Amino acid sequence: MGPHPAVAAIRLAVRRVLHDVITEFQRNAGHDRPAEAARRPAHAAGSPYAEAGAAGGSLTALPERPATPLVLVACSGGADSMALASALAFEARKLDVRAGGITVDHNLQPGSGLRAAEVVTRLTAMDLDPVEAVAVHVGREGGPEAAARDARYAALDAAAERHGAAAVLLGHTRDDQAETVLLGLARGSGIRSLSGMAAASGPAGRYRRPFLQLDRQTARKACLVQSIPVWDDPHNIDPAYTRSRLRHEGLPALEKALGKGVVEALARTAQLSRDDADALDTWAAEAELSVRDETGRLECAGLYALPPAVRRRVLRRALIEAGAPAGSLFARHLEEVDRLITGWRGQRAINLPGRVEALRQGGRLVIRQS
């Protein structure tokens, strides 16, 4: 008799991601080894190449490297991430993968350090190694949810670098994806925001989200049938947080008005939007080369001829390259800069986040630090 359907579903999702990680790890290792061989003189004293040459053997032998990739799971102790940790532990034993875990203590609730220690104990009992808890300080910039997210990802990035991890698994589900799409819609954001969370993101695709096609109830059921204890974060039901209100009030109201299937439809919207956004980003990257003069400045006539969606992407890329923080650039900023191209009436320079300014001079769009 096989595992419960919920357990089988989460294991299959994790197995697929691990196969991708292994393939990429082996491909990268294959690319790195010839370059490393070229950097190491075969005659260097103590070199394995020198010893091989002295014995009349091949000079291409390389020193040992980690033979298997390390994959970490980011685990809060909640149902989604505990289900993910259990599936990683199970699949790693069958594949050429080392598995570890990281839990981040945000220090936002009394007893958070104790809960982090409990998560470490549970992950260790699953035979994950390395396992550690990382305490962070959450600032205030961007609001409590954004500040906690920034602190968490900074800690996960540092842990991945410290341990040399090939990937970090995150437990975001299809329900989380639907919430992210609605939040982007409420902000009046563009198609990139509506595309939600990517299955792979971060430096070199470090962050992987195996559960984006699974609902939250599947993860919870997998924990229940495996008798895995979970912790329900009170912040997830606190109406002070926007995502919590959306989860417990907004989405149920939409399902009541529109019928079941809203979450699945929003998740499909995210994928379709991502495909479109990726295509437009590629188009914009290619178009940017054609609208710069020989000195690298943007030509307003060339920009004007581009479709608005492509032109605004070119402008956004240029503003970020000049020093504007990506997270602080909003649609209204891009609209103001775009009017320098499409509605030129002699406007003054536009001040933008990061002390960047944009102005029109002699048919060129000048973007620079003010």
Side-chain angles (χ1 to χ4, degrees):
M1 184 176 178
H4 186 279
V7 176
I10 66 170
R11 288 178 179 175
L12 177 59
V14 169
R15 189 183 315 142
R16 288 171 172 166
V17 168
L18 292 182
H19 279 302
D20 291 341
V21 171
I22 292 170
T23 299
E24 293 166 17
F25 179 83
Q26 292 173 341
R27 183 188 303 124
N28 293 336
H31 288 166
D32 291 345
R33 293 178 78 81
E36 182 174 333
R39 290 196 301 268
R40 293 178 179 268
H43 59 275
S47 164
Y49 315 115
E51 295 172 4
S58 170
L59 299 183
T60 59
L62 287 170
E64 288 296 322
R65 280 189 169 195
T68 58
L70 170 64
V71 177
L72 301 175
V73 57
C75 187
S76 66
D80 301 340
S81 59
M82 288 302 294
L84 182 58
S86 71
L88 172 61
F90 180 85
E91 295 297 331
R93 287 192 288 269
K94 303 191 299 179
L95 298 172
D96 202 16
V97 172
R98 293 177 295 135
I102 302 293
T103 186
V104 178
D105 175 11
H106 297 83
N107 283 305
L108 294 177
Q109 302 172 35
S112 63
L114 177 60
R115 281 189 292 274
E118 291 174 350
V119 172
V120 167
T121 300
R122 292 172 186 170
L123 296 181
T124 302
M126 293 178 180
D127 294 328
L128 298 182
D129 181 38
V131 172
E132 69 172 328
V134 180
V136 298
H137 170 72
V138 177
R140 298 183 177 180
E141 186 174 354
E145 292 166 285
R149 182 176 61 250
D150 290 345
R152 178 167 60 254
Y153 276 101
L156 293 175
D157 277 333
E161 294 291 341
R162 186 165 58 252
H163 294 290
V168 178
L169 305 188
L170 305 176
H172 297 121
T173 64
R174 186 170 62 193
D175 301 78
D176 296 308
Q177 185 75 297
E179 293 163 8
T180 301
V181 172
L182 283 176
L183 289 171
L185 185 63
R187 289 192 295 264
S189 303
I191 194 171
R192 175 57 71 186
S193 181
L194 297 184
S195 65
M197 296 174 286
S201 65
R206 167 180 292 160
Y207 294 107
R208 309 296 177 108
R209 298 176 175 87
F211 290 175
L212 286 183
Q213 302 302 319
L214 300 177
D215 60 31
R216 188 174 289 136
Q217 191 58 38
T218 297
R220 184 169 289 275
K221 185 67 174 179
C223 289
L224 178 63
V225 299
Q226 296 178 99
S227 299
I228 297 174
V230 299
W231 173 65
D232 291 314
D233 187 345
H235 282 173
N236 290 336
I237 58 174
D238 188 342
Y241 295 94
T242 304
R243 187 176 286 268
S244 175
R245 295 195 302 274
L246 179 60
R247 180 174 301 176
H248 298 287
E249 300 173 23
L251 270 172
L254 280 176
E255 290 196 333
K256 182 178 180 180
L258 303 176
K260 296 293 184 181
V262 170
V263 168
E264 293 87 342
L266 288 168
R268 284 196 301 274
T269 297
Q271 185 56 58
L272 293 171
S273 298
R274 181 166 296 281
D275 292 343
D276 290 348
D278 288 345
L280 287 169
D281 285 347
T282 300
W283 186 356
E286 295 170 352
E288 183 177 355
L289 300 176
S290 68
V291 297
R292 289 189 181 273
D293 63 17
E294 62 279 1
T295 66
R297 294 182 299 174
L298 291 167
E299 297 178 313
C300 294
L303 287 168
Y304 185 86
L306 294 175
V310 177
R311 180 174 60 246
R312 288 174 182 171
R313 279 170 166 77
V314 172
L315 296 177
R316 179 179 173 82
R317 285 165 57 95
L319 294 172
I320 292 172
E321 288 176 2
S328 300
L329 278 177
F330 303 126
R332 60 183 175 83
H333 295 131
L334 292 176
E335 289 168 1
E336 291 178 11
V337 177
D338 196 46
R339 277 195 288 271
L340 295 176
I341 309 300
T342 62
W344 174 241
R345 298 184 307 277
Q347 297 99 310
R348 295 181 179 179
I350 297 171
N351 295 317
L352 299 157
R355 298 182 60 190
V356 170
E357 67 174 11
L359 65 156
R360 180 166 173 159
Q361 288 182 342
R364 303 290 190 272
L365 184 67
V366 180
I367 300 175
R368 65 193 181 193
Q369 288 280 336
S370 61

